[in-house]
Amino acid sequence: MIQKILNKKILRREEIITLLQAEDKNDIHAIFQKADEIRKKYFGDEVHLRGIIEFSNNCEQNCLYCGLRKFNRALSRYRMNETEILQTAKKICDTGIKTIVLQSGEDFNFSGEDIYRIIKSIKSEFDAAITLSLGERDFEDYKIWKEAGADRYLLKHETANAKLYETYHFGQKLYDRVGHLNYLKSLGYQIGSGNLIGLPHQTIEDIADDIILCRDLDVDMASFSPFIPSPNTPYKKQKPADVNSVLKVMAVARIVLKNVHIPVTTALATIDLNGREKGLAAGANVIMPNFTPAFYSDKYSIYPNKKSDVDPMPALRSILLAAGRNMAEGQGHSLKII
Ligand code: SF4
């Protein structure tokens, strides 16, 4: 049954659910093997590294699962200034990494023009692609940032279940999130979306719908992260996601989505010391090391004990070597636009 599904080109919802429900050791092995084959077919053994700069932990939203939520008064807030952001971008580029990810909460203290200026400066000084991960912003901002040279926008939908979406994100609607993603795509951004696995009330069917939504949105990158309960949030007492379930979702997503970039998330590396190695074996082809200065990074606590290295490169090189993979040299644009 599983093998029959794995031999198909396009999978229906029920088939995706069957793969996600697989428990038998041989079936799971076959799923991981297929995911690895597909990853190799499209991306070879190259792993794209994207250097993250978490430049502000301020956020206007109140997502129930997130330690950066506005109502978390216990969190000490910070904003990096433009000089610090550029210095960190230089540090990333000095390692040979060719994508800079500018990440923050929904922080409107950084105006559209501020971000425009930062993108322009990075683009004029470095040979690097820029991914923005700044939450939902004004459509006009997306437009000027694209004109400034931004290449990609990461905006996870978190759950494709509209009811759960409204539960987790007070006052927000899935319909709007999808609207933002479609608009970003229409502007020429390479878009990334994805979910959180293990959230309260989520079902296997919901996760199948998350993968299908990524397919329907025709994303360039899809990210599947484990939920980790964060103190000072309404979900602080909930159970964290199970590592093996997350790996299975990544593998099934690779089988369904084929040529999209799939990262090993920092959250996976946080809940499992060997999370990066395991993620690479489950269909991932991207790692996103964090270059935020340690003084700030500790405060970017979406969840506790976030994996963070002073210098992530030595560990990454040994992980790639052990996995028989190598660091990609280019900017790692979407295969869909090449
Ligand atoms: S998940 Fe994003 S938008 Fe929601 S509270 Fe956290 S940083 Fe803000």
Side-chain angles (χ1 to χ4, degrees), residues 12 32 36-37 39 48 80 88 93 98 101 107 149 178 185 211 215 222-223 254 267 279 310 312 319-320:
R12 287 180 291 119
F32 278 74
D36 205 42
E37 261 170 41
R39 181 272 305 163
H48 293 282
M80 288 170 66
T88 312
C93 293
K98 294 220 165 78
V101 183
D107 182 3
V178 169
K185 194 160 182 76
I211 297 174
R215 181 167 69 186
S223 165
R254 169 61 72 204
V310 181
I319 288 170
L320 295 186

Side-chain angles (χ1 to χ4, degrees), residues 59 61-63 65-66 68-69 104-106 158 300:
C59 189
Q61 298 298 342
N62 264 305
C63 308
Y65 48 80
C66 178
L68 303 195
R69 66 199 306 269
S104 70
E106 280 186 25
E158 311 295 5
Y300 202 89

Side-chain angles (χ1 to χ4, degrees), residues 56-70 104-106 134-136 158 168-169 172 177 196 300 302:
S56 166
N57 70 349
N58 292 271
C59 189
E60 283 304 312
Q61 298 298 342
N62 264 305
C63 308
L64 296 193
Y65 48 80
C66 178
L68 303 195
R69 66 199 306 269
K70 189 176 183 175
S104 70
E106 280 186 25
L134 315 178
E136 287 184 14
E158 311 295 5
Y168 303 146
H169 311 103
Q172 292 189 288
R177 173 83 25 148
L196 259 180
Y300 202 89
I302 293 177

Side-chain angles (χ1 to χ4, degrees), residues 36-304:
D36 205 42
E37 261 170 41
I38 295 175
R39 181 272 305 163
K40 202 169 167 98
K41 174 178 168 190
Y42 289 103
F43 297 99
D45 287 329
E46 290 197 328
V47 175
H48 293 282
L49 302 186
R50 326 278 204 206
I52 301 181
I53 309 174
E54 299 156 333
F55 65 89
S56 166
N57 70 349
N58 292 271
C59 189
E60 283 304 312
Q61 298 298 342
N62 264 305
C63 308
L64 296 193
Y65 48 80
C66 178
L68 303 195
R69 66 199 306 269
K70 189 176 183 175
F71 288 173
N72 181 4
R73 311 276 184 225
L75 182 66
S76 145
R77 306 282 174 169
Y78 73 86
R79 290 188 178 94
M80 288 170 66
N81 63 39
E82 291 185 29
T83 309
E84 290 172 311
I85 294 171
L86 285 175
Q87 280 167 349
T88 312
K90 179 173 182 328
K91 206 172 146 198
I92 292 171
C93 293
D94 285 347
T95 66
I97 293 179
K98 294 220 165 78
T99 291
I100 291 163
V101 183
L102 293 174
Q103 187 167 313
S104 70
E106 280 186 25
D107 182 3
F108 290 86
N109 244 61
F110 278 92
S111 68
E113 288 71 27
D114 292 335
I115 303 292
Y116 177 91
R117 219 174 31 251
I118 293 166
I119 296 167
K120 275 276 187 197
S121 302
I122 292 176
K123 279 291 187 177
S124 67
E125 288 189 39
F126 309 109
D127 170 26
I130 294 181
T131 299
L132 301 175
S133 176
L134 315 178
E136 287 184 14
R137 298 285 300 238
D138 295 342
F139 279 24
E140 199 48 43
D141 288 346
Y142 297 145
K143 225 172 172 175
I144 62 168
W145 298 340
K146 188 77 190 73
E147 285 159 15
D151 301 274
R152 309 177 189 135
Y153 207 102
L154 175 58
L155 185 66
K156 290 176 65 162
H157 65 266
E158 311 295 5
T159 175
N161 177 324
K163 269 203 178 139
L164 286 184
Y165 188 94
E166 286 177 41
T167 306
Y168 303 146
H169 311 103
F170 180 72
Q172 292 189 288
K173 298 228 177 286
L174 177 65
Y175 177 84
D176 291 328
R177 173 83 25 148
V178 169
H180 279 254
L181 281 158
N182 281 324
Y183 183 67
L184 287 160
K185 194 160 182 76
S186 76
L187 291 177
Y189 281 95
Q190 296 164 50
I191 58 164
S193 194
N195 75 350
L196 259 180
I197 300 158
L199 282 166
H201 317 298
Q202 183 188 50
T203 63
I204 288 280
E205 287 77 9
D206 292 329
I207 294 175
D209 290 336
D210 290 331
I211 297 174
I212 291 168
L213 180 56
C214 285
R215 181 167 69 186
D216 291 346
L217 286 164
D218 193 20
V219 297
D220 302 283
M221 183 184 115
S223 165
F224 303 91
S225 326
F227 160 69
I228 304 174
S230 188
N232 307 307
T233 66
Y235 284 167
K236 64 184 174 198
K237 292 201 173 134
Q238 298 292 335
K239 271 199 292 187
D242 161 67
V243 175
N244 290 327
S245 310
V246 176
L247 294 168
K248 192 164 35 159
V249 173
M250 289 170 68
V252 173
R254 169 61 72 204
I255 292 164
V256 175
L257 302 173
K258 315 257 189 273
N259 62 347
V260 308
H261 290 294
I262 297 183
V264 179
T265 62
T266 310
L268 181 59
T270 298
I271 57 168
D272 188 314
L273 273 180
N274 300 314
R276 283 177 169 156
E277 292 86 333
K278 290 179 181 177
L280 287 178
N285 71 308
V286 172
I287 297 181
M288 300 171 76
N290 191 351
F291 282 82
T292 311
F295 174 73
Y296 295 125
S297 184
D298 291 348
K299 298 184 179 120
Y300 202 89
S301 46
I302 293 177
Y303 47 82

